[in-house]
Amino acid sequence: MMARTKRSRRSYGAGEWGRNRVRVFPDPKTGIFQIEWRKNGRRLTRSLKHRDWSRAKRQADEFAAGFAKPEPNGKKEAEPLTLERLFDIYGEEVTPTKGENKRRHDRAAMRMFLGFFGRDRNPGTLSRRDWDRFIRARRAGQVGLSGAPVSNRTIAYDLKLLVAVFNWASKSRDEQGRLLLEASPLRGLKTPTEKNPTRVILSEDEYQALLRVSRDVDWRFRIALVLAHETGHRIGAIRHLQWSDIDLEAGTVRWRAEHEKTGYEHTTPVTAEAVAVLAEARKKTLGSGDAPVLPAPRNRSKCVSAERVRIWWHKGQRLAGLEPKRGRGWHSLRRKFASDLMNQPLKVLCQLGGWKTPHTVLECYQRADEGQLRTALDNRRRVPG
């Protein structure tokens, strides 16, 4: 009978029951891995004196196969670091601290990098040639689950994770105090940028068209649409609003740091239109405390998902008779908010919309329309002829 191997996040077992079965698991108090086996009917346990999950699994496999003894090996010569092992460590220690979407992206991107560069590749040997080769392959659709070409923005998002992993490894040490990477080989390499990025601003006519059909889509779509238009915040922050964040009497909303891309917690006043739809939502949900303002259709204790609001947006466009346009999504409302308030001081606009710095507003969000440009010309000071 072949040896059975069992994997779980709590422990790892290797070998056969009654023969050479061993198990490794973290101490619940210290997190240091322990190895457990039986000898003459007695259960024995020793500390491995490290917290490296990948290394602990390998030690279990080696001991079960009879290649090693379960002795603490803190003085053991450093094992070669592979790309797979580095991703395992990062995935265990750093990825869990991120938001849901970034955790999902971390896992998908790591699988993609392992398939492209190789699981046993020494991270320190990656170079500019590998960097450029990945960019070309990703741009051509030769890498990734979809098999379709992607934009420079998507490629840059993937590569920023790789850079973050390598930078983290160059500052992190193993149990013997050795750096995981002496230095990041990717330092100084630039990610590709879009020459003419698509930054669509939803027009007033388009917004009104969506508003007219919003109730036919879903009552939550109408609430989200108005809040996005009136507050200028990201749909992700709006989805996660709880009733404890809302003060209808004062007409204010608290935006929590954990749901803001910039980690910037702040409170803003809101318009009468926003207060009206929030009052409508409260009647629908009868919510209070930590109940979501926009509950999921099948589980009112959870907030509506990102996928659901995307479906609502596409349905709203179709019912409103709007031709699909790349870049015209929820974020186009945020750009509309910034452009509508262009005549306000940047400090005020940043506070209202949750931007930490005015540079992002000027570069990515605001765009003057023809009317504003003509008004500026008409108001130009002229010296009498």
Side-chain angles (χ1 to χ4, degrees), residues 190-348:
K190 295 184 187 254
T191 57
T193 58
E194 296 287 344
K195 293 183 179 179
N196 297 298
T198 303
R199 292 175 179 144
V200 175
I201 298 176
L202 194 73
S203 70
E204 183 64 26
D205 289 342
E206 290 171 333
Y207 171 67
Q208 293 299 331
L210 287 169
L211 195 59
R212 283 192 292 271
V213 301
S214 58
R215 293 187 191 278
D216 299 329
V217 177
D218 191 285
W219 68 265
R220 283 161 287 225
F221 174 65
R222 178 178 177 81
I223 306 302
L225 183 67
V226 174
L227 289 179
H229 182 267
E230 298 299 318
T231 68
H233 279 70
R234 295 178 177 85
I235 188 60
I238 294 170
R239 286 193 305 107
H240 286 96
L241 283 175
Q242 300 175 353
W243 285 112
S244 57
D245 300 322
I246 310 298
D247 189 335
L248 287 178
E249 292 185 3
T252 61
V253 173
R254 177 182 60 168
W255 306 94
R256 303 191 186 198
E258 59 265 33
H259 303 311
E260 285 288 317
K261 182 179 178 180
T262 57
Y264 172 41
E265 181 158 326
H266 56 290
T267 299
T268 63
V270 292
T271 63
E273 290 83 357
V275 171
V277 294
L278 285 169
E280 179 183 338
R282 175 156 282 175
K283 290 179 182 178
K284 294 276 190 182
T285 62
L286 301 176
S288 61
D290 290 333
V293 174
L294 298 172
R298 296 184 180 179
N299 187 346
R300 300 178 75 85
S301 65
K302 293 186 177 180
C303 68
V304 67
S305 68
E307 180 62 26
R308 178 62 58 182
V309 294
R310 278 194 292 270
I311 292 172
W312 287 341
W313 181 270
H314 294 310
K315 184 177 180 180
Q317 283 192 128
R318 188 174 66 253
L319 293 178
L322 301 179
E323 290 292 331
K325 180 191 289 187
R326 183 187 176 191
R328 191 215 285 132
W330 285 101
H331 218 64
S332 63
L333 281 163
R334 186 161 166 81
R335 298 188 192 98
K336 182 179 187 300
F337 182 85
S339 296
D340 287 348
L341 296 179
M342 190 177 292
N343 61 336
Q344 297 299 320
L346 275 173
K347 186 72 173 177
V348 173

Side-chain angles (χ1 to χ4, degrees), residues 161-176:
L161 170 66
L162 190 63
V163 170
V165 173
F166 279 39
N167 286 343
W168 176 84
S170 68
K171 299 175 184 176
S172 302
R173 299 180 181 274
D174 62 15
E175 299 302 321
Q176 285 71 43

Side-chain angles (χ1 to χ4, degrees), residues 82-144:
T82 64
L83 195 60
E84 181 178 32
R85 182 169 171 241
L86 176 58
F87 283 163
D88 279 345
I89 298 171
Y90 187 89
E92 289 284 337
E93 298 183 14
V94 183
T95 296
T97 66
K98 301 182 181 182
E100 178 184 351
N101 291 338
K102 288 195 174 181
R103 290 199 301 270
R104 190 181 302 114
H105 175 259
D106 278 12
R107 291 190 290 268
M110 286 177 185
R111 287 194 298 269
M112 178 175 60
F113 287 132
L114 288 175
F116 187 79
F117 295 120
R119 296 180 177 275
D120 296 328
R121 179 72 181 269
N122 180 346
T125 65
L126 264 66
S127 68
R128 174 64 182 266
R129 293 179 63 195
D130 298 296
W131 179 272
D132 292 341
R133 188 164 56 91
F134 174 82
I135 292 174
R136 290 193 298 269
R138 188 79 166 111
R139 188 180 286 145
Q142 298 169 355
V143 186

Side-chain angles (χ1 to χ4, degrees), residues 15-195:
E16 299 178 27
W17 292 107
R19 183 170 171 267
N20 62 338
R21 186 69 175 176
V22 297
R23 184 171 74 98
V24 290
F25 58 93
D27 184 282
K29 292 183 179 180
T30 64
I32 294 176
F33 282 103
Q34 313 290 313
I35 187 165
E36 177 186 273
W37 75 103
R38 286 184 178 274
K39 183 177 181 181
N40 298 327
R42 295 176 56 199
R43 180 180 297 175
L44 303 177
T45 304
R46 290 278 180 89
S47 171
L48 293 177
K49 293 188 176 181
H50 64 79
R51 297 185 180 87
D52 189 328
W53 177 233
S54 300
R55 181 177 167 192
K57 289 191 292 185
R58 280 195 297 275
Q59 287 177 279
D61 290 333
E62 290 170 356
F63 179 57
F67 293 148
K69 296 180 180 180
E71 294 292 338
N73 54 359
K75 296 182 180 180
K76 184 177 179 180
E77 187 176 332
E79 300 178 29
L81 182 69
T82 64
L83 195 60
E84 181 178 32
R85 182 169 171 241
L86 176 58
F87 283 163
D88 279 345
I89 298 171
Y90 187 89
E92 289 284 337
E93 298 183 14
V94 183
T95 296
T97 66
K98 301 182 181 182
E100 178 184 351
N101 291 338
K102 288 195 174 181
R103 290 199 301 270
R104 190 181 302 114
H105 175 259
D106 278 12
R107 291 190 290 268
M110 286 177 185
R111 287 194 298 269
M112 178 175 60
F113 287 132
L114 288 175
F116 187 79
F117 295 120
R119 296 180 177 275
D120 296 328
R121 179 72 181 269
N122 180 346
T125 65
L126 264 66
S127 68
R128 174 64 182 266
R129 293 179 63 195
D130 298 296
W131 179 272
D132 292 341
R133 188 164 56 91
F134 174 82
I135 292 174
R136 290 193 298 269
R138 188 79 166 111
R139 188 180 286 145
Q142 298 169 355
V143 186
L145 292 177
S146 66
V150 298
S151 66
N152 282 341
R153 183 177 180 183
T154 300
I155 299 171
Y157 188 47
D158 294 335
L159 288 173
K160 282 178 181 178
L161 170 66
L162 190 63
V163 170
V165 173
F166 279 39
N167 286 343
W168 176 84
S170 68
K171 299 175 184 176
S172 302
R173 299 180 181 274
D174 62 15
E175 299 302 321
Q176 285 71 43
R178 297 180 289 251
L179 286 171
L180 296 178
L181 274 179
E182 289 298 328
S184 171
L186 306 180
R187 188 178 301 278
L189 298 182
K190 295 184 187 254
T191 57
T193 58
E194 296 287 344
K195 293 183 179 179

